[in-house]
Amino acid sequence: FTELMISFFFLPPLSSFTDHFSLFNNNNNTAMTEPKSKDAKRAYSLNINKALDKEHENKSLRAVLDLPPSALQGLADRANNMLEAFHVKTIADLAKWKHAKIAQAIAACASVEEAGGRDDACVMNINKALDKEFETKTFGEVLNAPISALQGLADWTDNVLVPLNVKTVGDLAKWKFVLWAQAIETLAKFETDNDEH
């Protein structure tokens, strides 16, 4: 009887039993919580709706690259025929268009050109990008020249893009449809399949 009484007096308080049970129960609940499915669809927000015709807004960036230029919002179907004269048949072709890239590079250099600042010892030139008569011009002067000033573009090409508001090398450099195509082409390389990351 004495031993029983001693054991009773040395039992831990009831609260410790309830705390222990609560801890066990909480751990059990945590273990039983179902993890979020890895296949759950993530809600994306990015889009380029203002650059694409409505019917193409839900396509992947890589799929957009295979579309004709007229898939870009603001370019009618007739633009496809005009651009074919420059071997541009898709948005990917538009992004890689050599003459547009040259025009952009000339515009960038024109922005840092110093009027009358060339030293007689300077050997800088872009002769392989320009027709002979424009080789000695400043970057700024080339920007104001017709697109045929770029080597490889015949005189008849000057009028081809006029209906699309491209009359000069400078116009080609800042033509928004080329800039959109280049942005799409750059970012398409970082696009994944099936929500993989």
Side-chain angles (χ1 to χ4, degrees):
F1 176 76
T2 303
E3 292 178 356
L4 181 62
M5 288 296 294
I6 293 172
S7 299
F8 177 77
F9 282 116
F10 282 95
L11 281 174
L14 183 60
S15 60
S16 66
F17 283 107
T18 56
D19 289 344
H20 177 74
F21 178 76
S22 175
L23 180 62
F24 174 79
N25 194 40
N26 287 339
N27 288 339
N28 192 44
N29 286 343
T30 302
M32 292 180 66
T33 302
E34 293 185 7
K36 292 183 179 179
S37 172
K38 290 183 179 179
D39 297 327
K41 188 174 181 180
R42 295 194 292 171
Y44 288 90
S45 301
L46 60 82
N47 67 80
I48 54 170
N49 293 351
K50 291 184 179 180
L52 297 175
D53 283 346
K54 193 74 176 175
E55 63 188 288
H56 304 300
E57 289 177 358
N58 293 332
K59 288 183 169 65
S60 68
L61 293 173
R62 283 172 292 181
V64 167
L65 288 175
D66 294 328
L67 298 173
S70 60
L72 295 174
Q73 194 174 125
L75 282 183
D77 290 341
R78 66 191 177 115
N80 295 332
N81 295 328
M82 296 175 188
L83 289 167
E84 278 189 24
F86 304 94
H87 307 290
V88 173
K89 299 180 180 179
T90 66
I91 291 176
D93 292 337
L94 190 60
K96 299 171 184 176
W97 188 10
K98 178 180 74 172
H99 295 104
K101 288 185 174 183
I102 292 172
Q104 291 168 346
I106 291 172
C109 289
S111 69
V112 292
E113 189 171 48
E114 181 184 0
R118 183 182 175 106
D119 190 279
D120 290 339
C122 183
V123 295
M124 184 185 303
N125 70 81
I126 55 169
N127 292 349
K128 290 184 178 180
L130 301 174
D131 268 5
K132 195 87 177 165
E133 64 178 295
F134 293 97
E135 288 178 357
T136 59
K137 303 291 186 184
T138 66
F139 286 116
E141 289 172 330
V142 174
L143 283 182
N144 292 320
I147 62 173
S148 61
L150 300 177
Q151 193 174 118
L153 295 183
D155 290 343
W156 62 265
T157 61
D158 288 336
N159 297 321
V160 175
L161 298 180
V162 169
L164 300 178
N165 297 315
V166 177
K167 301 176 183 178
T168 66
V169 174
D171 292 337
L172 182 57
K174 61 186 179 183
W175 202 36
K176 67 180 180 180
F177 301 109
V178 169
L179 297 175
W180 291 351
Q182 290 172 340
I184 293 168
E185 196 255 346
T186 296
L187 295 178
K189 298 171 185 175
F190 301 95
E191 192 171 50
T192 59
D193 288 321
N194 301 319
D195 206 26
E196 52 183 65
H197 54 281

